Amino acid sequence: MTIFKEIVDEEFLTVSETKELLADIEAERALDEDRELPYELARAIEHVNRFAHLEPEEAQQLVDDIQDLEKVDEATAYKIANLLPRNRDELRSVYAQQRYSLSGDELDEILNVVAQYA
């Protein structure tokens, strides 16, 4: 007998929003002295603390601004907001698996939006 798990809901989050959620979980677990953080949770908290550079509101505004541009879908906007690319090569790596490539002007337009927040 095979047990299948069903995806009920899916939502994109920025690293900053994830940091906020994990901080709540960490605080909740800290209240119970007998419960240790599982290894995976501790590593996830360490990761978001290291890579979350923006406040959650700023990160969401960046996603919204990036999505207003052409050829940027929701998933790509969240990737860009999480990575905060600084140059064309870093941004091209986000688009490496897409079926299209962006021109230099389109890349620069995205980088200019990111530069306003980074």
Side-chain angles (χ1 to χ4, degrees):
M1 178 178 182
T2 305
I3 299 174
F4 293 100
K5 293 188 178 185
E6 178 183 351
I7 297 174
V8 178
D9 190 21
E10 185 177 90
E11 179 181 352
F12 292 108
L13 294 173
T14 63
V15 176
S16 301
E17 293 168 328
T18 306
K19 178 181 178 180
E20 198 172 64
L21 292 173
L22 288 177
D24 293 342
I25 292 170
E26 184 179 27
E28 177 184 308
R29 297 231 176 167
L31 295 176
D32 187 1
E33 294 176 8
D34 296 334
R35 290 175 69 182
E36 283 189 31
L37 288 179
Y39 174 77
E40 293 84 2
L41 181 58
R43 294 289 296 177
I45 292 169
E46 180 184 327
H47 178 84
V48 297
N49 286 336
R50 181 176 296 155
F51 293 107
H53 299 293
L54 301 175
E55 293 298 316
E57 297 80 21
E58 285 180 310
Q60 189 57 51
Q61 184 61 45
L62 173 58
V63 168
D64 294 340
D65 289 349
I66 292 172
Q67 274 187 293
D68 291 341
L69 303 174
E70 283 186 45
K71 292 190 178 180
V72 182
D73 60 355
E74 183 181 18
T76 305
Y78 276 93
K79 269 189 213 176
I80 293 169
N82 287 334
L83 296 173
L84 295 174
R86 293 178 300 236
N87 57 47
R88 286 182 177 185
D89 291 333
E90 290 177 359
L91 186 54
R92 277 193 188 103
S93 68
V94 173
Y95 282 93
Q97 294 183 347
Q98 301 289 342
R99 293 182 184 256
Y100 53 85
S101 60
L102 299 179
S103 70
D105 291 339
E106 291 169 325
L107 291 170
D108 289 340
E109 188 176 2
I110 294 170
L111 288 172
N112 288 339
V113 172
V114 172
Q116 293 173 6
Y117 293 88

